[in-house]
């Protein structure tokens, strides 16, 4: 067995409330399997400087070529962006832009896809393929849709909010390196979250705050 990822667990305790850590554990575990049965994406919102991007760094270390860094907005704008995500487990947007999306069709289709999707590469005939990529977006605000005010759009988003950064906190320039050194323990930690998620029929543990965030986004979109 790998040792407990002590640095990782301490990092998360400073970043999120306890119940939101359970949600993150389940979602990162969800990203280990090529399935979108959970029918959702995750957004982690903060004010900057909390260290949110370290989560993407750790996931890249664990998943290697099965993770792609990209842009949620580009997935909607570019006709070729979906094909770039074929065979990927996760796409991390570690600096999600706060621009309003003019459409949300591609995001919703990927998050909920149960049948093969139409993909297009530049200069090639379009083709059908299964898509199992999950989205993990990190930013300083909420995802906005210019025209899509439907509950179907907002209920696909789990929004977690980072804690306020303590004013006396001293940043560790080697934190990402120390976290990545615990990747085996973090993998087992995420796998335990996956087991809990599967036992709960792919219903994520959601804190009261996370549930209120989903409702607030829906109300704001009306």
């Amino acid at each position: 067995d790998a040792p407990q990822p002590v640095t990782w667990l301490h990092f998360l305790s400073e970043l999120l409330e306890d119940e939101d850590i359970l949600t993150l554990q389940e979602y990162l575990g969800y990203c280990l399997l090529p399935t979108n049965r959970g029918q959702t994406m995750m957004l982690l919102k903060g004010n900057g400087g909390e260290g949110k991007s370290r989560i993407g760094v750790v996931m890249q270390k664990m998943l290697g070529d099965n993770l792609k860094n990209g842009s949620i907005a580009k997935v909607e704008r570019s006709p070729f962006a979906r094909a770039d995500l074929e065979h990927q487990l996760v796409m991390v947007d570690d600096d999600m832009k706060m621009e309003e999306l003019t459409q949300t069709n591609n995001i919703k289709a990927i998050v909920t896809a149960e049948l093969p999707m139409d993909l297009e590469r530049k200069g090639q005939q379009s083709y059908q393929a299964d898509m199992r990529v999950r989205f993990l977006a990190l930013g300083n605000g909420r995802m906005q849709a210019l025209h899509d005010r439907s509950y179907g759009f907002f209920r696909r988003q789990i929004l977690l909010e980072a804690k306020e950064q303590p004013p006396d906190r001293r940043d560790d320039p080697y934190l990402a390196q120390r976290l990545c050194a615990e990747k085996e323990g973090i993998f087992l930690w995420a796998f335990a979250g996956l087991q809990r998620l599967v036992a709960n029929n792919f219903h994520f543990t959601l804190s009261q705050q996370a549930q209120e965030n989903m409702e607030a986004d829906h109300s704001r979109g009306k």
Side-chain angles (χ1 to χ4, degrees), residues 8 46 104 127 157 160 175:
W8 171 255
T104 60
Y127 62 98
Q157 304 170 31
L160 304 183
L175 178 60

Side-chain angles (χ1 to χ4, degrees), residues 129-221:
D130 289 322
M131 292 285 284
R132 295 292 181 260
V133 68
R134 268 59 50 84
F135 293 124
L136 176 61
L138 314 169
N140 299 332
R142 301 166 185 260
M143 185 177 295
Q144 306 291 333
L146 187 60
H147 303 298
D148 191 343
R149 306 303 191 207
S150 67
Y151 183 58
F153 174 61
F154 292 106
R155 74 185 180 90
R156 303 299 183 193
Q157 304 170 31
I158 297 175
L159 173 62
L160 304 183
E161 297 195 43
K163 293 179 179 178
E164 291 286 338
Q165 181 179 348
D168 58 346
R169 194 187 79 177
R170 298 184 64 183
D171 290 334
D172 178 0
Y174 300 102
L175 178 60
Q177 182 179 341
R178 295 198 299 122
L179 292 174
C180 289
E182 297 183 334
K183 65 178 183 179
E184 289 85 2
I186 297 172
F187 179 90
L188 293 177
W189 173 86
F191 184 69
L194 173 62
Q195 291 176 305
R196 187 168 64 245
L197 179 65
V198 171
N200 200 29
N201 201 25
F202 285 87
H203 295 293
F204 289 89
T205 300
L206 294 178
S207 66
Q208 185 65 36
Q209 181 63 55
Q211 294 179 52
E212 289 174 0
N213 285 340
M214 295 171 76
E215 293 297 331
D217 277 344
H218 178 223
S219 299
R220 190 178 293 108

Side-chain angles (χ1 to χ4, degrees), residues 27 30 38-42 111 134 155-158 204:
Y27 194 83
Y30 174 53
Q39 300 275 289
T40 192
M41 62 181 292
M42 176 167 282
V111 169
R134 268 59 50 84
R155 74 185 180 90
R156 303 299 183 193
Q157 304 170 31
I158 297 175
F204 289 89

Side-chain angles (χ1 to χ4, degrees), residues 5-144:
V6 177
T7 305
W8 171 255
L9 296 176
H10 178 70
F11 162 69
L12 292 182
S13 73
E14 292 190 331
L15 183 69
L16 295 169
E17 300 295 341
D18 289 348
E19 197 166 359
D20 288 336
I21 292 175
L22 294 178
T23 312
L24 180 68
Q25 182 184 22
E26 292 171 359
Y27 194 83
L28 298 189
Y30 174 53
C31 291
L32 301 177
L33 281 184
T35 179
N36 53 13
R37 192 163 294 173
Q39 300 275 289
T40 192
M41 62 181 292
M42 176 167 282
L43 286 70
L44 182 54
K45 171 184 174 291
N47 294 316
E50 303 93 351
K52 302 183 300 297
S53 63
R54 303 298 192 283
I55 296 173
V57 172
V58 169
M59 290 296 285
Q60 179 87 66
K61 192 71 172 178
M62 287 201 304
L63 298 178
D65 292 340
N66 292 303
L67 180 147
K68 185 178 182 69
N69 291 291
S71 164
I72 294 287
K74 185 179 178 182
V75 172
E76 286 299 344
R77 285 198 310 263
S78 169
F80 311 116
R82 286 197 299 186
D84 289 342
L85 299 176
E86 188 184 4
H87 308 307
Q88 299 293 317
L89 288 174
V90 189
M91 191 202 86
V92 174
D93 185 341
D94 69 356
D95 186 22
M96 189 179 69
K97 301 295 184 271
M98 294 302 103
E99 63 189 87
E100 289 189 320
L101 300 174
T102 55
Q103 65 178 47
T104 60
N105 301 29
N106 288 335
I107 294 173
K108 287 193 296 187
I110 292 171
V111 169
T112 63
E114 294 179 316
L115 298 172
M117 299 178 63
D118 194 56
L119 304 180
E120 183 179 357
R121 296 186 185 274
K122 193 170 184 178
Q124 298 181 20
Q125 178 69 36
S126 64
Y127 62 98
Q128 296 274 310
D130 289 322
M131 292 285 284
R132 295 292 181 260
V133 68
R134 268 59 50 84
F135 293 124
L136 176 61
L138 314 169
N140 299 332
R142 301 166 185 260
M143 185 177 295
Q144 306 291 333

